[in-house]
PDB file of all heavy atoms in Angstrom:
ATOM      1  N   LEU A 566      27.226  -1.948  17.707  1.00 98.00           N
ATOM      2  CA  LEU A 566      25.812  -2.247  17.719  1.00 98.00           C
ATOM      3  C   LEU A 566      25.200  -1.746  18.965  1.00 98.00           C
ATOM      4  O   LEU A 566      25.592  -2.112  20.085  1.00 98.00           O
ATOM      5  CB  LEU A 566      25.549  -3.766  17.554  1.00 98.00           C
ATOM      6  CG  LEU A 566      24.117  -4.181  17.610  1.00 98.00           C
ATOM      7  CD1 LEU A 566      23.361  -3.709  16.409  1.00 98.00           C
ATOM      8  CD2 LEU A 566      24.000  -5.699  17.734  1.00 98.00           C
ATOM      9  N   LEU A 567      24.184  -0.877  18.869  1.00 98.00           N
ATOM     10  CA  LEU A 567      23.432  -0.375  20.058  1.00 98.00           C
ATOM     11  C   LEU A 567      22.391  -1.383  20.437  1.00 98.00           C
ATOM     12  O   LEU A 567      22.302  -1.815  21.619  1.00 98.00           O
ATOM     13  CB  LEU A 567      22.883   0.979  19.748  1.00 98.00           C
ATOM     14  CG  LEU A 567      22.074   1.588  20.877  1.00 98.00           C
ATOM     15  CD1 LEU A 567      22.915   1.804  22.137  1.00 98.00           C
ATOM     16  CD2 LEU A 567      21.434   2.934  20.474  1.00 98.00           C
ATOM     17  N   VAL A 568      21.535  -1.723  19.472  1.00 98.00           N
ATOM     18  CA  VAL A 568      20.490  -2.678  19.722  1.00 98.00           C
ATOM     19  C   VAL A 568      20.073  -3.332  18.400  1.00 98.00           C
ATOM     20  O   VAL A 568      20.035  -2.647  17.349  1.00 98.00           O
ATOM     21  CB  VAL A 568      19.253  -2.033  20.457  1.00 98.00           C
ATOM     22  CG1 VAL A 568      18.678  -0.914  19.593  1.00 98.00           C
ATOM     23  CG2 VAL A 568      18.220  -3.063  20.761  1.00 98.00           C
ATOM     24  N   TRP A 585       5.972  10.869  28.402  1.00 92.00           N
ATOM     25  CA  TRP A 585       7.142  11.437  27.722  1.00 92.00           C
ATOM     26  C   TRP A 585       6.746  12.669  26.813  1.00 92.00           C
ATOM     27  O   TRP A 585       7.639  13.390  26.398  1.00 92.00           O
ATOM     28  CB  TRP A 585       7.847  10.424  26.902  1.00 92.00           C
ATOM     29  CG  TRP A 585       8.555   9.381  27.737  1.00 92.00           C
ATOM     30  CD1 TRP A 585       8.061   8.204  28.165  1.00 92.00           C
ATOM     31  CD2 TRP A 585       9.865   9.530  28.270  1.00 92.00           C
ATOM     32  NE1 TRP A 585       9.006   7.561  28.945  1.00 92.00           N
ATOM     33  CE2 TRP A 585      10.112   8.339  29.077  1.00 92.00           C
ATOM     34  CE3 TRP A 585      10.840  10.515  28.233  1.00 92.00           C
ATOM     35  CZ2 TRP A 585      11.295   8.119  29.758  1.00 92.00           C
ATOM     36  CZ3 TRP A 585      12.000  10.311  28.923  1.00 92.00           C
ATOM     37  CH2 TRP A 585      12.244   9.120  29.693  1.00 92.00           C
ATOM     38  N   SER A 596      15.470  12.223  24.921  1.00 98.00           N
ATOM     39  CA  SER A 596      16.330  11.171  24.397  1.00 98.00           C
ATOM     40  C   SER A 596      16.559  10.072  25.511  1.00 98.00           C
ATOM     41  O   SER A 596      17.057   8.993  25.205  1.00 98.00           O
ATOM     42  CB  SER A 596      17.747  11.752  24.054  1.00 98.00           C
ATOM     43  OG  SER A 596      17.591  12.594  22.906  1.00 98.00           O
ATOM     44  N   ASP A 597      16.107  10.290  26.731  1.00 98.00           N
ATOM     45  CA  ASP A 597      16.187   9.281  27.758  1.00 98.00           C
ATOM     46  C   ASP A 597      15.243   8.127  27.501  1.00 98.00           C
ATOM     47  O   ASP A 597      15.368   7.054  28.126  1.00 98.00           O
ATOM     48  CB  ASP A 597      15.868   9.863  29.181  1.00 98.00           C
ATOM     49  CG  ASP A 597      17.018  10.705  29.690  1.00 98.00           C
ATOM     50  OD1 ASP A 597      18.165  10.522  29.204  1.00 98.00           O
ATOM     51  OD2 ASP A 597      16.779  11.530  30.607  1.00 98.00           O
ATOM     52  N   ASN A 598      14.296   8.304  26.571  1.00 97.00           N
ATOM     53  CA  ASN A 598      13.369   7.225  26.263  1.00 97.00           C
ATOM     54  C   ASN A 598      13.735   6.425  25.016  1.00 97.00           C
ATOM     55  O   ASN A 598      12.951   5.592  24.521  1.00 97.00           O
ATOM     56  CB  ASN A 598      11.898   7.732  26.172  1.00 97.00           C
ATOM     57  CG  ASN A 598      11.581   8.462  24.886  1.00 97.00           C
ATOM     58  OD1 ASN A 598      12.415   8.569  23.971  1.00 97.00           O
ATOM     59  ND2 ASN A 598      10.379   9.008  24.798  1.00 97.00           N
ATOM     60  N   LEU A 599      14.898   6.699  24.445  1.00 98.00           N
ATOM     61  CA  LEU A 599      15.301   6.090  23.209  1.00 98.00           C
ATOM     62  C   LEU A 599      15.121   4.584  23.168  1.00 98.00           C
ATOM     63  O   LEU A 599      15.741   3.894  23.990  1.00 98.00           O
ATOM     64  CB  LEU A 599      16.748   6.453  22.837  1.00 98.00           C
ATOM     65  CG  LEU A 599      17.281   5.838  21.568  1.00 98.00           C
ATOM     66  CD1 LEU A 599      16.538   6.347  20.333  1.00 98.00           C
ATOM     67  CD2 LEU A 599      18.798   6.086  21.435  1.00 98.00           C
ATOM     68  N   LEU A 600      14.235   4.099  22.279  1.00 98.00           N
ATOM     69  CA  LEU A 600      14.098   2.705  22.030  1.00 98.00           C
ATOM     70  C   LEU A 600      13.767   1.895  23.244  1.00 98.00           C
ATOM     71  O   LEU A 600      14.030   0.665  23.292  1.00 98.00           O
ATOM     72  CB  LEU A 600      15.354   2.108  21.302  1.00 98.00           C
ATOM     73  CG  LEU A 600      15.393   2.505  19.805  1.00 98.00           C
ATOM     74  CD1 LEU A 600      16.851   2.456  19.306  1.00 98.00           C
ATOM     75  CD2 LEU A 600      14.571   1.551  18.975  1.00 98.00           C
ATOM     76  N   MET A 601      13.156   2.510  24.246  1.00 97.00           N
ATOM     77  CA  MET A 601      12.938   1.800  25.497  1.00 97.00           C
ATOM     78  C   MET A 601      11.830   0.734  25.324  1.00 97.00           C
ATOM     79  O   MET A 601      11.714  -0.197  26.173  1.00 97.00           O
ATOM     80  CB  MET A 601      12.647   2.752  26.628  1.00 97.00           C
ATOM     81  CG  MET A 601      11.335   3.512  26.476  1.00 97.00           C
ATOM     82  SD  MET A 601      11.115   4.807  27.818  1.00 97.00           S
ATOM     83  CE  MET A 601      11.196   3.719  29.266  1.00 97.00           C
ATOM     84  N   GLY A 602      11.020   0.855  24.313  1.00 96.00           N
ATOM     85  CA  GLY A 602      10.029  -0.197  24.087  1.00 96.00           C
ATOM     86  C   GLY A 602      10.385  -1.265  23.104  1.00 96.00           C
ATOM     87  O   GLY A 602       9.651  -2.244  23.009  1.00 96.00           O
ATOM     88  N   ALA A 603      11.520  -1.120  22.479  1.00 97.00           N
ATOM     89  CA  ALA A 603      11.956  -2.142  21.499  1.00 97.00           C
ATOM     90  C   ALA A 603      12.461  -3.417  22.184  1.00 97.00           C
ATOM     91  O   ALA A 603      13.074  -3.369  23.259  1.00 97.00           O
ATOM     92  CB  ALA A 603      13.068  -1.564  20.626  1.00 97.00           C
ATOM     93  N   ASN A 605      14.893  -6.432  22.554  1.00 98.00           N
ATOM     94  CA  ASN A 605      16.287  -6.817  22.174  1.00 98.00           C
ATOM     95  C   ASN A 605      16.258  -8.245  21.661  1.00 98.00           C
ATOM     96  O   ASN A 605      15.782  -9.195  22.332  1.00 98.00           O
ATOM     97  CB  ASN A 605      17.123  -6.768  23.435  1.00 98.00           C
ATOM     98  CG  ASN A 605      18.619  -7.039  23.176  1.00 98.00           C
ATOM     99  OD1 ASN A 605      18.965  -7.562  22.123  1.00 98.00           O
ATOM    100  ND2 ASN A 605      19.473  -6.680  24.094  1.00 98.00           N
ATOM    101  N   ASN A 608      18.040 -11.037  23.985  1.00 97.00           N
ATOM    102  CA  ASN A 608      17.529 -11.515  25.340  1.00 97.00           C
ATOM    103  C   ASN A 608      16.000 -11.425  25.474  1.00 97.00           C
ATOM    104  O   ASN A 608      15.485 -11.791  26.511  1.00 97.00           O
ATOM    105  CB  ASN A 608      18.227 -10.687  26.451  1.00 97.00           C
ATOM    106  CG  ASN A 608      17.996  -9.183  26.347  1.00 97.00           C
ATOM    107  OD1 ASN A 608      17.042  -8.743  25.760  1.00 97.00           O
ATOM    108  ND2 ASN A 608      18.839  -8.392  26.994  1.00 97.00           N
ATOM    109  N   LYS A 610      14.165  -8.944  25.927  1.00 97.00           N
ATOM    110  CA  LYS A 610      13.709  -7.946  26.882  1.00 97.00           C
ATOM    111  C   LYS A 610      13.737  -6.559  26.300  1.00 97.00           C
ATOM    112  O   LYS A 610      14.445  -6.256  25.316  1.00 97.00           O
ATOM    113  CB  LYS A 610      14.636  -7.974  28.133  1.00 97.00           C
ATOM    114  CG  LYS A 610      14.596  -9.300  28.874  1.00 97.00           C
ATOM    115  CD  LYS A 610      15.474  -9.253  30.110  1.00 97.00           C
ATOM    116  CE  LYS A 610      15.405 -10.625  30.871  1.00 97.00           C
ATOM    117  NZ  LYS A 610      16.279 -10.620  32.051  1.00 97.00           N
ATOM    118  N   ALA A 611      12.915  -5.686  26.872  1.00 96.00           N
ATOM    119  CA  ALA A 611      12.870  -4.315  26.428  1.00 96.00           C
ATOM    120  C   ALA A 611      13.788  -3.459  27.294  1.00 96.00           C
ATOM    121  O   ALA A 611      13.926  -3.681  28.510  1.00 96.00           O
ATOM    122  CB  ALA A 611      11.438  -3.787  26.557  1.00 96.00           C
ATOM    123  N   ASN A 612      14.467  -2.522  26.652  1.00 98.00           N
ATOM    124  CA  ASN A 612      15.311  -1.533  27.315  1.00 98.00           C
ATOM    125  C   ASN A 612      16.419  -2.156  28.141  1.00 98.00           C
ATOM    126  O   ASN A 612      16.719  -1.681  29.261  1.00 98.00           O
ATOM    127  CB  ASN A 612      14.442  -0.584  28.173  1.00 98.00           C
ATOM    128  CG  ASN A 612      15.019   0.816  28.270  1.00 98.00           C
ATOM    129  OD1 ASN A 612      15.790   1.226  27.400  1.00 98.00           O
ATOM    130  ND2 ASN A 612      14.632   1.540  29.297  1.00 98.00           N
ATOM    131  N   LEU A 613      17.033  -3.179  27.639  1.00 98.00           N
ATOM    132  CA  LEU A 613      18.137  -3.815  28.321  1.00 98.00           C
ATOM    133  C   LEU A 613      19.128  -4.346  27.240  1.00 98.00           C
ATOM    134  O   LEU A 613      18.851  -5.296  26.584  1.00 98.00           O
ATOM    135  CB  LEU A 613      17.672  -4.975  29.196  1.00 98.00           C
ATOM    136  CG  LEU A 613      18.731  -5.510  30.142  1.00 98.00           C
ATOM    137  CD1 LEU A 613      19.112  -4.475  31.234  1.00 98.00           C
ATOM    138  CD2 LEU A 613      18.246  -6.800  30.823  1.00 98.00           C
ATOM    139  N   VAL A 614      20.213  -3.620  27.026  1.00 98.00           N
ATOM    140  CA  VAL A 614      21.154  -3.923  25.986  1.00 98.00           C
ATOM    141  C   VAL A 614      22.565  -3.962  26.515  1.00 98.00           C
ATOM    142  O   VAL A 614      22.881  -3.390  27.562  1.00 98.00           O
ATOM    143  CB  VAL A 614      21.110  -2.865  24.788  1.00 98.00           C
ATOM    144  CG1 VAL A 614      19.711  -2.964  24.173  1.00 98.00           C
ATOM    145  CG2 VAL A 614      21.416  -1.513  25.258  1.00 98.00           C
ATOM    146  N   LEU A 615      23.424  -4.627  25.797  1.00 98.00           N
ATOM    147  CA  LEU A 615      24.855  -4.784  26.181  1.00 98.00           C
ATOM    148  C   LEU A 615      25.619  -3.517  25.967  1.00 98.00           C
ATOM    149  O   LEU A 615      25.554  -2.917  24.867  1.00 98.00           O
ATOM    150  CB  LEU A 615      25.488  -5.922  25.364  1.00 98.00           C
ATOM    151  CG  LEU A 615      26.986  -6.117  25.536  1.00 98.00           C
ATOM    152  CD1 LEU A 615      27.283  -6.616  26.985  1.00 98.00           C
ATOM    153  CD2 LEU A 615      27.510  -7.065  24.551  1.00 98.00           C
ATOM    154  N   ASN A 616      26.319  -3.055  26.968  1.00 98.00           N
ATOM    155  CA  ASN A 616      27.363  -2.007  26.818  1.00 98.00           C
ATOM    156  C   ASN A 616      28.653  -2.702  26.581  1.00 98.00           C
ATOM    157  O   ASN A 616      29.253  -3.292  27.505  1.00 98.00           O
ATOM    158  CB  ASN A 616      27.399  -1.105  28.126  1.00 98.00           C
ATOM    159  CG  ASN A 616      28.361   0.041  27.915  1.00 98.00           C
ATOM    160  OD1 ASN A 616      29.395  -0.024  27.263  1.00 98.00           O
ATOM    161  ND2 ASN A 616      27.974   1.171  28.498  1.00 98.00           N
ATOM    162  N   ARG A 617      29.100  -2.691  25.325  1.00 96.00           N
ATOM    163  CA  ARG A 617      30.303  -3.447  24.992  1.00 96.00           C
ATOM    164  C   ARG A 617      31.539  -2.917  25.712  1.00 96.00           C
ATOM    165  O   ARG A 617      32.465  -3.655  25.992  1.00 96.00           O
ATOM    166  CB  ARG A 617      30.487  -3.371  23.466  1.00 96.00           C
ATOM    167  CG  ARG A 617      31.704  -4.117  22.986  1.00 96.00           C
ATOM    168  CD  ARG A 617      31.704  -4.326  21.516  1.00 96.00           C
ATOM    169  NE  ARG A 617      33.001  -4.827  21.024  1.00 96.00           N
ATOM    170  CZ  ARG A 617      33.221  -5.519  19.957  1.00 96.00           C
ATOM    171  NH1 ARG A 617      32.226  -5.771  19.176  1.00 96.00           N
ATOM    172  NH2 ARG A 617      34.431  -5.907  19.598  1.00 96.00           N
ATOM    173  N   LYS A 619      31.664  -1.602  28.784  1.00 97.00           N
ATOM    174  CA  LYS A 619      31.644  -1.917  30.192  1.00 97.00           C
ATOM    175  C   LYS A 619      31.367  -3.407  30.479  1.00 97.00           C
ATOM    176  O   LYS A 619      31.474  -3.836  31.642  1.00 97.00           O
ATOM    177  CB  LYS A 619      30.596  -1.086  30.920  1.00 97.00           C
ATOM    178  CG  LYS A 619      30.915   0.409  30.918  1.00 97.00           C
ATOM    179  CD  LYS A 619      29.884   1.188  31.648  1.00 97.00           C
ATOM    180  CE  LYS A 619      30.161   2.662  31.750  1.00 97.00           C
ATOM    181  NZ  LYS A 619      29.103   3.451  32.512  1.00 97.00           N
ATOM    182  N   THR A 621      28.515  -4.756  30.553  1.00 98.00           N
ATOM    183  CA  THR A 621      27.337  -4.849  31.429  1.00 98.00           C
ATOM    184  C   THR A 621      26.072  -4.526  30.616  1.00 98.00           C
ATOM    185  O   THR A 621      26.205  -4.054  29.482  1.00 98.00           O
ATOM    186  CB  THR A 621      27.464  -3.837  32.599  1.00 98.00           C
ATOM    187  OG1 THR A 621      27.593  -2.497  32.059  1.00 98.00           O
ATOM    188  CG2 THR A 621      28.680  -4.155  33.493  1.00 98.00           C
ATOM    189  N   TYR A 622      24.950  -4.724  31.216  1.00 98.00           N
ATOM    190  CA  TYR A 622      23.680  -4.394  30.541  1.00 98.00           C
ATOM    191  C   TYR A 622      23.047  -3.161  31.206  1.00 98.00           C
ATOM    192  O   TYR A 622      23.120  -2.958  32.391  1.00 98.00           O
ATOM    193  CB  TYR A 622      22.717  -5.627  30.604  1.00 98.00           C
ATOM    194  CG  TYR A 622      23.062  -6.696  29.604  1.00 98.00           C
ATOM    195  CD1 TYR A 622      24.008  -7.650  29.954  1.00 98.00           C
ATOM    196  CD2 TYR A 622      22.496  -6.716  28.410  1.00 98.00           C
ATOM    197  CE1 TYR A 622      24.372  -8.657  29.060  1.00 98.00           C
ATOM    198  CE2 TYR A 622      22.824  -7.734  27.455  1.00 98.00           C
ATOM    199  CZ  TYR A 622      23.746  -8.702  27.831  1.00 98.00           C
ATOM    200  OH  TYR A 622      24.129  -9.654  26.953  1.00 98.00           O
ATOM    201  N   ASP A 623      22.465  -2.351  30.305  1.00 98.00           N
ATOM    202  CA  ASP A 623      21.846  -1.073  30.814  1.00 98.00           C
ATOM    203  C   ASP A 623      20.717  -0.698  29.832  1.00 98.00           C
ATOM    204  O   ASP A 623      20.512  -1.335  28.849  1.00 98.00           O
ATOM    205  CB  ASP A 623      22.912  -0.016  30.946  1.00 98.00           C
ATOM    206  CG  ASP A 623      22.553   1.034  32.046  1.00 98.00           C
ATOM    207  OD1 ASP A 623      21.334   1.171  32.313  1.00 98.00           O
ATOM    208  OD2 ASP A 623      23.493   1.685  32.482  1.00 98.00           O
ATOM    209  N   THR A 624      20.083   0.443  30.122  1.00 98.00           N
ATOM    210  CA  THR A 624      19.016   0.910  29.219  1.00 98.00           C
ATOM    211  C   THR A 624      19.672   1.352  27.905  1.00 98.00           C
ATOM    212  O   THR A 624      20.835   1.673  27.833  1.00 98.00           O
ATOM    213  CB  THR A 624      18.277   2.073  29.837  1.00 98.00           C
ATOM    214  OG1 THR A 624      19.160   3.203  30.044  1.00 98.00           O
ATOM    215  CG2 THR A 624      17.696   1.704  31.211  1.00 98.00           C
ATOM    216  N   VAL A 625      18.842   1.402  26.862  1.00 98.00           N
ATOM    217  CA  VAL A 625      19.372   1.811  25.552  1.00 98.00           C
ATOM    218  C   VAL A 625      19.946   3.189  25.588  1.00 98.00           C
ATOM    219  O   VAL A 625      21.061   3.418  25.072  1.00 98.00           O
ATOM    220  CB  VAL A 625      18.243   1.679  24.492  1.00 98.00           C
ATOM    221  CG1 VAL A 625      18.793   2.078  23.102  1.00 98.00           C
ATOM    222  CG2 VAL A 625      17.628   0.313  24.432  1.00 98.00           C
ATOM    223  N   SER A 626      19.208   4.131  26.216  1.00 98.00           N
ATOM    224  CA  SER A 626      19.706   5.496  26.203  1.00 98.00           C
ATOM    225  C   SER A 626      20.976   5.654  27.056  1.00 98.00           C
ATOM    226  O   SER A 626      21.883   6.413  26.643  1.00 98.00           O
ATOM    227  CB  SER A 626      18.627   6.450  26.792  1.00 98.00           C
ATOM    228  OG  SER A 626      18.308   6.148  28.100  1.00 98.00           O
ATOM    229  N   ALA A 627      21.091   4.921  28.142  1.00 98.00           N
ATOM    230  CA  ALA A 627      22.281   5.038  28.987  1.00 98.00           C
ATOM    231  C   ALA A 627      23.476   4.507  28.232  1.00 98.00           C
ATOM    232  O   ALA A 627      24.587   5.080  28.274  1.00 98.00           O
ATOM    233  CB  ALA A 627      22.061   4.225  30.277  1.00 98.00           C
ATOM    234  N   VAL A 628      23.308   3.416  27.505  1.00 98.00           N
ATOM    235  CA  VAL A 628      24.451   2.850  26.725  1.00 98.00           C
ATOM    236  C   VAL A 628      24.802   3.762  25.593  1.00 98.00           C
ATOM    237  O   VAL A 628      25.989   4.072  25.340  1.00 98.00           O
ATOM    238  CB  VAL A 628      24.076   1.464  26.168  1.00 98.00           C
ATOM    239  CG1 VAL A 628      25.147   0.967  25.246  1.00 98.00           C
ATOM    240  CG2 VAL A 628      23.830   0.485  27.315  1.00 98.00           C
ATOM    241  N   ALA A 629      23.803   4.335  24.914  1.00 98.00           N
ATOM    242  CA  ALA A 629      24.095   5.311  23.817  1.00 98.00           C
ATOM    243  C   ALA A 629      24.778   6.529  24.360  1.00 98.00           C
ATOM    244  O   ALA A 629      25.778   7.023  23.680  1.00 98.00           O
ATOM    245  CB  ALA A 629      22.785   5.685  23.141  1.00 98.00           C
ATOM    246  N   LYS A 630      24.391   7.032  25.463  1.00 98.00           N
ATOM    247  CA  LYS A 630      25.031   8.208  26.064  1.00 98.00           C
ATOM    248  C   LYS A 630      26.509   7.897  26.432  1.00 98.00           C
ATOM    249  O   LYS A 630      27.395   8.721  26.240  1.00 98.00           O
ATOM    250  CB  LYS A 630      24.302   8.694  27.275  1.00 98.00           C
ATOM    251  CG  LYS A 630      22.998   9.397  26.990  1.00 98.00           C
ATOM    252  CD  LYS A 630      22.261   9.889  28.222  1.00 98.00           C
ATOM    253  CE  LYS A 630      20.980  10.609  27.922  1.00 98.00           C
ATOM    254  NZ  LYS A 630      20.310  11.121  29.103  1.00 98.00           N
ATOM    255  N   ASP A 631      26.735   6.675  26.961  1.00 98.00           N
ATOM    256  CA  ASP A 631      28.113   6.327  27.277  1.00 98.00           C
ATOM    257  C   ASP A 631      28.965   6.245  26.061  1.00 98.00           C
ATOM    258  O   ASP A 631      30.132   6.743  26.050  1.00 98.00           O
ATOM    259  CB  ASP A 631      28.094   4.962  28.032  1.00 98.00           C
ATOM    260  CG  ASP A 631      29.495   4.542  28.532  1.00 98.00           C
ATOM    261  OD1 ASP A 631      30.078   5.367  29.286  1.00 98.00           O
ATOM    262  OD2 ASP A 631      29.927   3.470  28.180  1.00 98.00           O
ATOM    263  N   TYR A 632      28.438   5.655  24.999  1.00 98.00           N
ATOM    264  CA  TYR A 632      29.200   5.555  23.771  1.00 98.00           C
ATOM    265  C   TYR A 632      29.470   7.005  23.240  1.00 98.00           C
ATOM    266  O   TYR A 632      30.596   7.269  22.798  1.00 98.00           O
ATOM    267  CB  TYR A 632      28.411   4.759  22.693  1.00 98.00           C
ATOM    268  CG  TYR A 632      28.296   3.283  22.924  1.00 98.00           C
ATOM    269  CD1 TYR A 632      27.366   2.520  22.247  1.00 98.00           C
ATOM    270  CD2 TYR A 632      29.141   2.624  23.858  1.00 98.00           C
ATOM    271  CE1 TYR A 632      27.236   1.165  22.402  1.00 98.00           C
ATOM    272  CE2 TYR A 632      29.027   1.290  24.064  1.00 98.00           C
ATOM    273  CZ  TYR A 632      28.056   0.513  23.334  1.00 98.00           C
ATOM    274  OH  TYR A 632      27.971  -0.824  23.526  1.00 98.00           O
ATOM    275  N   SER A 639      27.384   4.478  16.946  1.00 98.00           N
ATOM    276  CA  SER A 639      26.656   3.219  17.073  1.00 98.00           C
ATOM    277  C   SER A 639      25.648   3.104  15.945  1.00 98.00           C
ATOM    278  O   SER A 639      25.421   4.043  15.169  1.00 98.00           O
ATOM    279  CB  SER A 639      25.961   3.210  18.447  1.00 98.00           C
ATOM    280  OG  SER A 639      25.078   4.256  18.607  1.00 98.00           O
ATOM    281  N   LEU A 663      22.219  11.204  20.042  1.00 98.00           N
ATOM    282  CA  LEU A 663      23.032  10.289  20.807  1.00 98.00           C
ATOM    283  C   LEU A 663      24.077   9.563  19.984  1.00 98.00           C
ATOM    284  O   LEU A 663      24.588   8.533  20.379  1.00 98.00           O
ATOM    285  CB  LEU A 663      22.137   9.268  21.548  1.00 98.00           C
ATOM    286  CG  LEU A 663      21.255   9.915  22.650  1.00 98.00           C
ATOM    287  CD1 LEU A 663      20.363   8.880  23.304  1.00 98.00           C
ATOM    288  CD2 LEU A 663      22.071  10.637  23.679  1.00 98.00           C
TER     289      LEU A 663
END
Side-chain angles (χ1 to χ4, degrees):
L566 177 68
L567 178 61
V568 60
W585 290 94
S596 293
D597 286 341
N598 76 4
L599 177 64
L600 285 156
M601 66 185 301
N605 184 345
N608 59 22
K610 297 181 179 180
N612 212 24
L613 192 67
V614 297
L615 174 67
N616 185 323
R617 179 166 170 158
K619 296 181 177 180
T621 58
Y622 283 84
D623 207 337
T624 65
V625 180
S626 64
V628 174
K630 286 181 179 180
D631 185 55
Y632 290 164
S639 59
L663 293 178

